[in-house]
Amino acid sequence: MKSKTIFGLLAFLLVIFISLLFIPDDKPLKIISSPKIYSILRSSELEAFKIEFLVNKNDTYHFNKEYISSVSLNSELDEEIISLTINDISFGNGTYTYANEEYYLVEFKLKIGFNTDDYLIDFNKTYLSIEYNNSEELKLFIGEFNYVFNDDINNEISVSNLSSTVFEIDGINTVSGIYIELNNISNENLIINRFSLGSNTIEFNNYFLSEIYVEPDLFTEVKEILLVDEYNYKSSSNIIEQTILLRENQSITLYVPLNYIGDIDYIHRFYFEIEYENNLGKNSLIIDDFPYISTSNFQENLEDEYIIYEIPN
């Protein structure tokens, strides 16, 4: 009799356990965006860029491209819409914990949906719009987006050294300035005027664009490099031009610090343009974007800037 009771209890518990397995997960989908500055030079028709989010579900159709009908980048009020194509959607290894909940990193690998050889996309406030086959739509704020198409080949200046210095704002390491060695490979003297960074809210301080003779260490402070008492990262001097001579068949090493004049106080990857004069007039060299600092966009010091979307079932 006792064994029958135990068997019956085990059978009852087994039925409950199996039933629980088939109860649908009714928790809402949560998507976390960490806004950043995207500053990208398109150097190849095959080039893609990535946009990452944290999500609390990795088994939903929202991240299966077979269920997605279209993807685009939209300006703040949808005045401009840039169509995109999806190369891939993938989940990273491991998980992140935020507010005592487990999240997965999902990466959208995307391409601009058209080709051109001279075009600039510059959205101060940008949304990734995802439309699904069931007519559902998500609009996720991703930050500032700058993307330039440029296939020009420069035969006057080459770069033989490029590095950055970094500093910390509110616990986040970001670029404080760049050091670059330029080589004049033309048969005439050139005049370096200014550096322009691929962003609307972070800029080079061309007032301090200057020739230096020793490459600075990664964490050398800007004021030590420039030999000034203090350096104000929040000032603006974007309209200033210099006249730095780069002689024929000679090289020069330059340093220029950054100014942060917008809401996002960090940048890890960007393209920039060097504007100069030759005998015929104005010309420029665009330097491809590469990671000056390799770091995650999802870290504790950025949590105050997270935007959390909750999508009901």
Side-chain angles (χ1 to χ4, degrees):
M1 182 69 178
K2 185 176 180 180
S3 62
K4 289 183 178 180
T5 302
I6 294 174
F7 178 78
L9 179 61
L10 290 174
F12 175 72
L13 292 174
L14 180 61
V15 169
I16 292 177
F17 177 73
I18 293 174
S19 299
L20 289 174
L21 289 178
F22 290 94
I23 294 176
D25 182 6
D26 60 354
K27 68 179 181 181
L29 170 64
K30 292 182 182 179
I31 302 175
I32 297 178
S33 175
S34 182
K36 60 180 281 187
I37 296 174
Y38 296 82
S39 177
I40 304 166
L41 169 66
R42 200 290 301 263
S43 56
S44 165
E45 291 184 6
L46 302 177
E47 186 170 345
F49 61 93
K50 65 181 181 180
I51 298 177
E52 297 176 332
F53 301 98
L54 293 183
V55 297
N56 66 337
K57 293 182 179 182
N58 61 358
D59 57 355
T60 171
Y61 68 86
H62 293 89
F63 311 114
N64 184 333
K65 67 179 183 178
E66 300 301 324
Y67 291 86
I68 297 174
S69 58
S70 67
V71 184
S72 64
L73 291 175
N74 295 22
S75 60
E76 183 176 12
L77 300 177
D78 292 339
E79 309 100 323
E80 294 185 71
I81 297 176
I82 304 296
S83 64
L84 303 174
T85 58
I86 301 175
N87 275 15
D88 190 31
I89 302 175
S90 60
F91 285 90
N93 297 322
T95 59
Y96 292 70
T97 300
Y98 174 71
N100 297 318
E101 189 171 359
E102 191 175 76
Y103 286 84
Y104 307 91
L105 181 72
V106 62
E107 176 184 294
F108 286 76
K109 189 171 289 186
L110 305 163
K111 286 177 57 180
I112 301 296
F114 60 89
N115 287 317
T116 180
D117 58 4
D118 185 15
Y119 189 77
L120 172 64
I121 303 168
D122 59 340
F123 293 168
N124 278 345
K125 295 185 177 181
T126 315
Y127 293 82
L128 181 68
S129 174
I130 309 171
E131 296 184 1
Y132 296 88
N133 296 332
N134 62 1
S135 299
E136 183 180 358
E137 180 183 10
L138 296 180
K139 289 188 71 173
L140 309 172
F141 182 67
I142 63 169
E144 179 188 331
F145 190 86
N146 307 274
Y147 191 101
V148 64
F149 295 82
N150 188 285
D151 294 334
D152 291 346
I153 297 175
N154 188 293
N155 295 313
E156 295 182 312
I157 297 178
S158 67
V159 176
S160 56
N161 192 2
L162 176 60
S163 62
S164 70
T165 55
V166 304
F167 78 125
E168 191 175 278
I169 297 180
D170 297 329
I172 303 297
N173 282 332
T174 186
V175 177
S176 59
I178 63 162
Y179 169 87
I180 189 168
E181 182 173 0
L182 301 177
N183 310 300
N184 186 342
I185 54 176
S186 73
N187 57 4
E188 60 182 277
N189 292 338
L190 305 173
I191 301 295
I192 306 298
N193 295 137
R194 64 196 304 272
F195 284 37
S196 299
L197 195 148
S199 168
N200 291 312
T201 58
I202 298 177
E203 63 186 23
F204 287 119
N205 188 336
N206 285 290
Y207 178 82
F208 287 106
L209 171 62
S210 53
E211 186 174 3
I212 64 173
Y213 304 99
V214 178
E215 181 175 358
D217 293 330
L218 182 65
F219 290 101
T220 304
E221 292 188 41
V222 168
K223 65 181 182 180
E224 295 177 9
I225 299 169
L226 300 176
L227 302 177
V228 296
D229 292 333
E230 294 295 335
Y231 180 75
N232 181 8
Y233 290 98
K234 294 295 185 178
S235 63
S236 180
S237 60
N238 199 34
I239 61 173
I240 292 174
E241 289 195 355
Q242 298 279 8
T243 54
I244 299 174
L245 177 63
L246 177 53
R247 295 184 182 276
E248 175 186 352
N249 296 319
Q250 297 294 313
S251 298
I252 192 172
T253 51
L254 301 172
Y255 181 82
V256 59
L258 272 63
N259 287 336
Y260 289 79
I261 56 176
D263 295 330
I264 300 177
D265 285 335
Y266 66 94
I267 191 167
H268 299 147
R269 183 184 189 122
F270 55 87
Y271 74 88
F272 64 94
E273 184 175 10
I274 301 172
E275 300 175 26
Y276 65 94
E277 298 174 42
N278 56 24
N279 289 341
L280 298 177
K282 297 282 189 179
N283 203 357
S284 68
L285 169 68
I286 298 182
I287 308 296
D288 201 353
D289 55 293
F290 70 92
Y292 297 87
I293 301 176
S294 296
T295 186
S296 171
N297 202 40
F298 295 96
Q299 48 186 295
E300 185 177 353
N301 292 324
L302 292 174
E303 289 180 357
D304 289 343
E305 308 303 323
Y306 284 179
I307 298 175
I308 303 173
Y309 298 88
E310 189 168 307
I311 294 91
N313 292 317

